[in-house]
Amino acid sequence: MNANPYLPVKVKVLEVGKQTENVATLKIESQGLNPAPGQFVEVSIPKVGECPVSISDFGSDFLELTVRKVGRVTGALNALRAGDSLFVRGPYGNGFPLENFDRRHVVMVLGGIGLAPVKGIINRYYLNGGVNRLDLLVGFRTPQEIIFRAELARWREKFNVVVAVEQDDPGWPGRVGLVSDLVKEISVEREAAAVVVGPPLMIKAAAEELSGRGVAKENIWVSLERRMSCGIGKCGHCRINDRYVCLDGPVFNYRQAEGLVD
Amino acid sequence: MGYLFSADAFNSLLAELKTRYKIFAPKIYRGKGRTAGTDLVAYGEAGELAEIAFDRKTAFSPKEIIFPVNQTMFYFTKEEFQENLPPKEDKDMIIFLRACDINGIERMDAILLQNGPYRDVYYEKLRGKARFFLIACDQSWESCFCVSTGSNRTENYSVYVREENGQVFCLVKDRDFEEIFSKYGRPADVEPRFIEENKIRVRLPEEIDQRVFGHKLWEEYAARCSACGRCTVCCPTCTCFTIQDIFYRDNPDCGERRRVWASCLIDGFTDMAAGVSFRAGYGERLRFRAMHKAADFKKRFGLFMCVGCGRCDDACPEYISFSKCLNRLSEIMGEVGQR
Amino acid sequence: MSLNTKAIAKNAYFISKHRGRVTARVRVPGGHLEARHLEIIKEIAERCGNGTVHLTARQAFAIPGIPAEKIPEVRKLLAPYIREAEVGMGVNLPDPEGGFPVPLPPNVLACIGSRDCVFGNIDTAELAQKIERTFYPGSTLLKIGVAGCANDCAKVHMQDVGIIGMVEPLYDPARCIGCEACVKNCRRAASGALRAENYKVARDDLRCLGCGECVLKCPTGAWSRGAKYYRLVIGGRTGRKHPRAARTFLEWAGEEAVIQVIANILAYIEKHRDKTLPKEHLGYIIDRTGYGVFKQEVLAGVNLGPRAKVAKYINFGGYAYDKGVQLT
Ligand SMILES: Cc1cc2nc3c(=O)[nH]c(=O)nc-3n(C[C@H](O)[C@H](O)[C@H](O)COP(=O)(O)OP(=O)(O)OC[C@H]3O[C@@H](n4cnc5c(N)ncnc54)[C@H](O)[C@@H]3O)c2cc1C
Ligand code: SF4
Ligand code: SF4
Ligand code: SF4
Ligand code: SF4
Ligand code: SF4
Ligand code: FES
């Protein structure tokens, strides 16, 4: 491969959906980028910077990114409007091993923006089926930070969807608490598989809880987030032990992930 | 073929080589040391024998020649990306360097050219221009332990160079250089010599695993290390970097994307949104570095990462010695192994 | 007992409170000496003194308990030291056997400087010795101290003239990795002259002390040592009347300028000092003539060098022993 792997392609923003005050979903041209669920792209705004963003959904001619504003690039991405352009390179990382979920009971434990990398997968199961049963346990810090509200409502038709917030709020009718604790309340079928995405502490708590409930560690898949710069195994920021999260992940089997010590 | 040069003949050779190559060698920069009145030994362009510090170890490794501290990857004009790859027509480079450093560059190749499906083109282009002139070590310095790491020898060079009392013995391996060397040098028998013994001997840990993570060694280092990052900056095998975008103050429409060296010892290396970061403690950072050098890299690429140049020992303001750390890791593994 | 106390004092002996005894003072320019010279001090103390040695605040030796009649013997013992440590480094003393000719000016004191200290920007003892060579012997009171860096371990802010070594930090953005070690350290330990900008570092020349801390902290050598310079602080003093710390008169001055300015200061003192007093500190004289006169006379004919800056005015603060303190 002789091409410059750092050179991104220019794509147009097709549509912008505001999720919350700080989160926007951008539908962008796919420009031949052909991703698998769970992969990510490096997104840039020239002179501002570049950062990794999960592909929250995709079709033959579009990619969807869901971005929470935390700094320079994510801030600039949140300010984009339909018709603007941005630059992407990728897709990178391994994505979810969907074959392991076929015809099984799947439990997904997702925290905040961690819903993004699996949103497309859930939609597909919603539209086309493929899993026997799906429990979606989703946590946010506050009710104001809930994203994909419409999707969550729709998914309820077919799946068990429980949304919890960490900080109570007078207007909030739902659950209050840590999403990892919700795992205690569901029944787990034999040969069940699980997906956990969220901040590091939540991942550990939820995966341990799932394992305690009888889901084999080999059947738990976690998507790790680490500081990244290059996205292609060169810069060293994302390395844990002998693994590069950008190359060997971000999705790891929990059996392996629990042995990765930062 | 082997050749012998007088100082004058070698200078004539360098002068001609300079028309075709940029020549980099260890040099002494008077008064440029960190503290007043001391010298800095570092890589720079050289054109004469007298400029080349054959008998000094550089404070920084030659990696900066093919992997610059700051490297502009793209220029931005309005919204467009302009690649800034080192131009083909730039001169090739001759680098005078030692066996440990050539071995170090092989480690850099492993990550920058081989890790994953992509090759780092910026590195590849400069690396492709480099020709190695191996400097014979006639002494091993106080901190060297290349024999222990097996990086005292190399076959990966164009010309072997040994300076002795103002004369220069060369062995040319790369045919491209044969003609020009034969023009200035007298044929001579030259056998490459390598250092066979260092003052420091390191027992490389056969296998290190996470059982060493909880050892009090790291607490001791946590109390001593100041996380300055010098040990990684000077290391011939550290390649971590961060990509940054800037716009020009005087012309905000334009700017550049560049990559800059980074270090797992320095604050911010793992910072993520919402204040999440890893290895806040300096002991953990030293553990991470030590594990990379001694175990993790080897697991992935089959090579012991550290090449025993000893620069990190020389650079550490807190006198934390990496060779000592490796020996202690071997001991600790021995202890936990017996349990 | 008959003693010419004035003559004895002129030979660098103190008249002790113990009747008939004197204390010999031995200058150590820059406070740095050869270890073998300690043998001489030891011998004088043991043979002529009371067997003890005091280290003075000006880094000289004081050998107490010497019976006045032993002064000739002390002179003889001291002669090799004077020959080697003073005449040997170029001080014009025609008669080493005669002891130190005049008690003034006082010993030039110095911190250890760049001979040993990581922070030192200049070889302080060497400069102290150069000053000794140029201005000793002489009779004008001028207390001079030399510090290697702005830490001022030599406390030159309490001297008539304090000299502080500076270095110009040179920045190479191509070597900077933006770690901000220099920025944080300058803010914490120096002057806050550095700030991070666009992942690189900008230096405020007006704030920079020239301490060289950034050079010491930078892991990549992006900061390196430029030329040596000097800060001159003036008018510091202790004493019963009106103690105060010196203030900056010059910064980023060259070495020759420092020597020339000291020469001019000596002349200024002789011209303006209150001759009714046995001696008068520089600060009081500046108080009387005003800083403007001082500046004009002291800078006359001096080549300060291209980077030098001169204080526009000086507002000496100061401190007086508080007469209102109630001792109840
Ligand atoms: C594989 C992967 C997938 C991701 N997917 C998404 C996603 O779908 N949606 C989303 O909103 N975010 C996602 N992130 C996180 C996102 O990359 C960071 O929030 C983003 O890099 C911050 O960049 P910035 O320029 O806005 O922030 P900066 O201005 O650079 O910094 C703001 C804060 O973000 C931290 N930060 C900087 N760079 C990174 C980085 N590369 N990774 C993590 N934190 C960083 C800084 O330390 C600081 O605390 C993902 C991260 C990874 C590694
Ligand atoms: S870790 Fe130290 S001894 Fe080993 S290669 Fe790096 S600088 Fe040299
Ligand atoms: S992770 Fe640390 S030790 Fe390893 S290459 Fe990067 S800076 Fe060097
Ligand atoms: S050089 Fe020494 S003090 Fe600095 S980061 Fe490395 S081990 Fe720590
Ligand atoms: S010399 Fe001292 S004051 Fe000046 S920038 Fe450096 S650290 Fe700051
Ligand atoms: S310490 Fe050196 S490398 Fe770090 S920011 Fe300052 S100049 Fe740059
Ligand atoms: S992000 Fe650079 S190595 Fe993984």
Side-chain angles (χ1 to χ4, degrees):
Chain A
M1 222 175 298
N2 230 346
N4 185 344
Y6 296 102
L7 182 66
V9 294
K10 186 175 189 168
V11 297
K12 272 217 151 32
V13 178
L14 304 170
E15 232 177 273
V16 178
K18 205 85 187 121
Q19 295 283 351
T20 72
E21 185 159 336
N22 291 320
V23 179
T25 294
L26 307 174
K27 196 169 170 189
I28 61 176
E29 295 171 337
S30 70
Q31 287 278 14
L33 270 64
N34 204 354
Q39 284 192 302
F40 66 96
V41 282
E42 284 282 347
V43 186
S44 12
I45 309 265
K47 292 165 288 192
V48 178
E50 197 173 35
C51 78
V53 178
S54 302
I55 297 163
S56 60
D57 211 344
F58 61 90
S60 56
D61 53 358
F62 76 94
L63 300 181
E64 190 191 274
L65 310 175
T66 301
V67 185
R68 184 162 67 104
K69 176 166 133 188
V70 297
R72 288 157 52 108
V73 184
T74 49
L77 289 171
N78 264 268
L80 290 178
R81 278 184 261 170
D84 290 347
S85 47
L86 69 157
F87 292 80
V88 293
R89 58 185 175 92
Y92 299 130
N94 57 0
F96 288 99
L98 294 184
E99 63 283 4
N100 289 289
F101 307 148
D102 280 350
R103 309 276 141 228
R104 285 196 179 175
H105 172 205
V106 178
V107 184
M108 294 193 181
V109 189
L110 311 169
I113 197 80
L115 187 49
V118 280
K119 178 221 151 193
I121 303 175
I122 304 170
N123 247 351
R124 233 152 287 182
Y125 290 140
Y126 172 79
L127 294 173
N128 310 329
V131 290
N132 282 350
R133 179 180 147 196
L134 182 59
D135 285 282
L136 271 177
L137 314 177
V138 195
F140 297 95
R141 253 171 4 108
T142 64
Q144 290 73 36
E145 287 172 50
I146 297 176
I147 55 173
F148 297 122
R149 282 169 189 272
E151 285 83 351
L152 286 166
R154 197 160 1 110
W155 295 335
R156 264 181 230 279
E157 296 163 10
K158 294 192 179 170
F159 311 129
N160 171 34
V161 180
V162 186
V163 177
V165 301
E166 275 172 48
Q167 290 169 20
D168 201 1
D169 190 281
W172 172 244
R175 301 287 303 258
V176 177
L178 293 176
V179 66
S180 45
D181 290 337
L182 299 181
V183 176
K184 296 192 175 86
E185 298 168 14
I186 54 164
S187 64
V188 172
E189 293 177 14
R190 261 175 40 130
E191 300 280 292
V195 171
V196 184
V197 194
L201 285 177
M202 185 224 112
I203 290 187
K204 186 156 173 53
E208 285 301 322
E209 199 66 56
L210 284 159
S211 155
R213 299 274 306 160
V215 185
K217 285 180 178 171
E218 288 76 8
N219 289 333
I220 303 173
W221 304 88
V222 301
S223 180
L224 300 183
E225 187 184 331
R226 286 299 179 277
R227 175 67 177 265
M228 289 185 182
S229 209
C230 70
I232 54 173
K234 306 296 165 197
C235 75
H237 278 283
C238 72
R239 184 176 64 79
I240 319 175
N241 307 346
D242 64 332
R243 302 280 113 183
Y244 289 78
V245 175
C246 64
L247 291 177
D248 308 319
V251 179
F252 290 90
N253 186 278
Y254 188 60
R255 177 66 81 196
Q256 192 186 26
E258 71 173 343
L260 297 178
V261 179
D262 285 281
Chain B
M1 277 277 300
Y3 299 93
L4 173 59
F5 294 82
S6 66
D8 286 346
F10 199 75
N11 280 330
S12 308
L13 169 77
L14 289 177
E16 184 168 341
L17 284 171
K18 223 178 147 85
T19 62
R20 279 191 272 153
Y21 297 91
K22 279 185 168 181
I23 303 174
F24 294 91
K27 284 169 60 172
I28 297 177
Y29 293 85
R30 299 276 168 217
K32 281 291 175 186
R34 197 180 289 280
T35 55
T38 59
D39 299 334
L40 171 72
V41 187
Y43 271 87
E45 281 197 61
E48 278 181 49
L49 182 61
E51 279 184 286
I52 304 175
F54 282 103
D55 57 346
R56 299 286 296 271
K57 174 151 72 171
T58 56
F60 302 108
S61 84
K63 76 177 173 192
E64 62 194 54
I65 301 164
I66 48 175
F67 181 66
V69 184
N70 281 266
Q71 191 169 22
T72 301
M73 308 170 84
F74 300 100
Y75 287 105
F76 301 126
T77 46
K78 295 272 180 202
E79 287 294 282
E80 298 308 321
F81 278 72
Q82 257 177 38
E83 280 181 273
N84 183 46
L85 289 166
K88 259 212 180 61
E89 55 282 9
D90 272 10
K91 281 186 192 168
D92 280 356
M93 302 181 288
I94 288 169
I95 308 175
F96 283 81
L97 75 183
R98 300 177 190 284
C100 56
D101 287 338
I102 292 178
N103 280 288
I105 290 172
E106 288 170 12
R107 274 53 176 181
M108 296 175 70
D109 290 349
I111 174 147
L112 293 171
L113 301 180
Q114 290 151 32
N115 196 34
Y118 301 95
R119 297 167 80 78
D120 186 299
V121 283
Y122 294 91
Y123 175 75
E124 189 172 32
K125 294 269 183 255
L126 284 177
R127 172 74 174 84
K129 289 180 185 295
R131 305 280 175 278
F132 300 149
F133 280 25
L134 168 67
I135 301 178
C137 294
D138 65 357
Q139 54 162 337
S140 172
W141 286 276
E142 206 183 335
S143 58
C144 301
F145 56 101
C146 57
V147 177
S148 304
T149 54
S151 17
N152 54 326
R153 321 183 136 261
T154 177
E155 287 303 316
N156 181 6
Y157 57 87
S158 295
V159 179
Y160 163 88
V161 186
R162 187 171 75 241
E163 193 254 8
E164 244 176 66
N165 308 319
Q167 289 189 311
V168 186
F169 297 86
C170 295
L171 180 74
V172 179
K173 267 181 81 170
D174 179 342
R175 281 169 194 281
D176 289 354
F177 289 104
E178 203 69 66
E179 193 188 321
I180 182 166
F181 272 69
S182 67
K183 184 166 153 197
Y184 294 100
R186 280 186 285 127
D189 273 340
V190 180
E191 262 305 302
R193 280 188 226 151
F194 296 99
I195 287 287
E196 297 298 348
E197 211 180 323
N198 305 124
K199 292 187 187 108
I200 293 178
R201 214 176 298 161
V202 171
R203 218 155 46 87
L204 297 191
E206 280 288 317
E207 184 83 21
I208 316 182
D209 57 45
Q210 295 183 3
R211 283 177 294 176
V212 302
F213 282 25
H215 198 274
K216 62 180 187 319
L217 172 72
W218 310 115
E219 284 164 40
E220 182 203 315
Y221 283 145
R224 293 170 61 193
C225 172
S226 60
C228 68
R230 287 185 211 180
C231 51
T232 57
V233 164
C234 70
C235 176
T237 67
C238 278
T239 50
C240 289
F241 63 86
T242 300
I243 300 175
Q244 300 166 345
D245 275 21
I246 57 137
F247 58 86
Y248 301 134
R249 303 249 138 189
D250 41 2
N251 184 3
D253 273 350
C254 297
E256 63 186 67
R257 172 165 300 169
R258 62 192 172 208
R259 66 141 157 244
V260 184
W261 289 1
S263 162
C264 63
L265 264 309
I266 294 178
D267 284 355
F269 189 75
T270 62
D271 282 6
M272 298 200 300
V276 177
S277 73
F278 303 91
R279 299 184 294 281
Y282 298 170
E284 295 170 287
R285 294 186 200 175
L286 275 186
R287 183 211 74 208
F288 186 78
R289 161 171 169 260
M291 287 300 289
H292 196 203
K293 299 291 174 205
D296 297 335
F297 189 91
K298 188 172 169 202
K299 234 178 176 173
R300 197 163 176 105
F301 301 109
L303 287 165
F304 194 82
M305 189 180 188
C306 168
V307 294
C309 73
R311 284 194 183 88
C312 51
D313 278 25
D314 303 337
C316 180
E318 312 299 339
Y319 284 82
I320 292 172
S321 155
F322 191 57
S323 51
K324 175 101 197 225
C325 174
L326 287 172
N327 275 332
R328 288 181 74 178
L329 284 175
S330 285
E331 273 167 39
I332 295 165
M333 276 312 290
E335 287 163 21
V336 294
Q338 275 162 18
R339 245 178 269 144
Chain C
M1 180 178 245
S2 152
L3 287 178
N4 181 345
T5 56
K6 292 268 168 6
I8 288 175
K10 281 255 174 230
N11 212 179
Y13 294 90
F14 286 115
I15 305 297
S16 157
K17 73 184 246 193
H18 301 291
R19 218 158 156 76
R21 308 263 159 169
V22 297
T23 299
R25 257 189 306 164
V26 181
R27 299 169 67 85
V28 184
H32 212 99
L33 77 168
E34 308 251 336
R36 68 197 158 87
H37 288 148
L38 293 172
E39 303 278 358
I40 296 175
I41 308 295
K42 175 173 183 262
E43 199 179 356
I44 297 172
E46 289 179 347
R47 276 179 48 180
C48 306
N50 64 13
T52 71
V53 176
H54 174 76
L55 299 176
T56 75
R58 295 208 69 78
Q59 298 180 324
F61 289 108
I63 307 172
I66 298 171
E69 63 272 18
K70 286 203 170 176
I71 290 178
E73 193 183 343
V74 174
R75 276 192 197 145
K76 202 178 288 158
L77 289 169
L78 201 53
Y81 173 80
I82 295 179
R83 220 177 285 121
E84 289 175 26
E86 296 277 356
V87 181
M89 65 153 185
V91 178
N92 178 25
L93 287 182
D95 178 21
E97 263 72 37
F100 291 105
V102 278
L104 303 171
N107 195 40
V108 179
L109 57 79
C111 67
I112 196 165
S114 69
R115 288 187 180 183
D116 208 55
C117 177
V118 173
F119 304 106
N121 292 319
I122 57 167
D123 187 336
T124 47
E126 190 181 285
L127 180 60
Q129 289 168 4
K130 182 169 182 181
I131 292 169
E132 181 97 351
R133 251 196 316 275
T134 318
F135 300 110
Y136 188 69
S139 58
T140 307
L141 171 73
L142 187 65
K143 291 185 170 169
I144 302 177
V146 185
C149 78
N151 271 349
D152 191 7
C153 296
K155 315 274 181 284
V156 305
H157 274 85
M158 298 316 288
Q159 310 297 314
D160 293 320
V161 173
I163 301 163
I164 296 176
M166 302 173 83
V167 66
E168 174 163 34
L170 301 178
Y171 180 60
D172 177 3
R175 287 200 75 82
C176 174
I177 59 170
C179 70
E180 294 186 24
C182 58
V183 179
K184 290 180 198 155
N185 187 69
C186 184
R187 192 184 306 136
R188 198 180 53 224
S191 67
L194 301 179
R195 65 175 193 284
E197 195 177 279
N198 246 344
Y199 307 108
K200 294 283 181 257
V201 179
R203 172 170 149 270
D204 179 347
D205 199 38
L206 288 176
R207 290 191 95 133
C208 175
L209 299 171
C211 65
E213 276 276 329
C214 44
V215 180
L216 294 175
K217 285 288 180 296
C218 179
T220 63
W223 285 112
S224 68
R225 283 184 178 271
K228 277 190 293 189
Y229 292 97
Y230 300 82
R231 172 187 303 274
L232 225 72
V233 297
I234 53 160
R237 65 200 178 201
T238 55
R240 299 181 189 98
K241 259 172 116 179
H242 194 175
R244 71 189 182 195
R247 307 294 295 238
T248 294
F249 167 45
L250 301 174
E251 53 176 31
W252 305 108
E255 181 169 327
E256 271 324 296
V258 169
I259 299 292
Q260 290 167 4
V261 164
I262 293 174
N264 285 351
I265 288 178
L266 290 168
Y268 164 88
I269 293 174
E270 281 313 317
K271 183 167 163 196
H272 297 287
R273 77 182 174 86
D274 180 350
K275 308 255 167 31
T276 66
L277 300 171
K279 51 193 180 185
E280 196 180 25
H281 275 292
L282 177 63
Y284 297 108
I285 306 172
I286 298 174
D287 290 349
R288 203 166 47 245
T289 69
Y291 173 66
V293 172
F294 169 83
K295 182 163 123 182
Q296 193 185 0
E297 293 188 10
V298 156
L299 292 184
V302 175
N303 172 14
L304 285 174
R307 290 275 280 110
K309 291 190 208 145
V310 183
K312 270 214 179 71
Y313 64 93
I314 294 180
N315 178 11
F316 288 104
Y319 163 86
Y321 288 107
D322 193 340
K323 305 294 186 302
V325 173
Q326 299 291 308
L327 296 172
T328 50

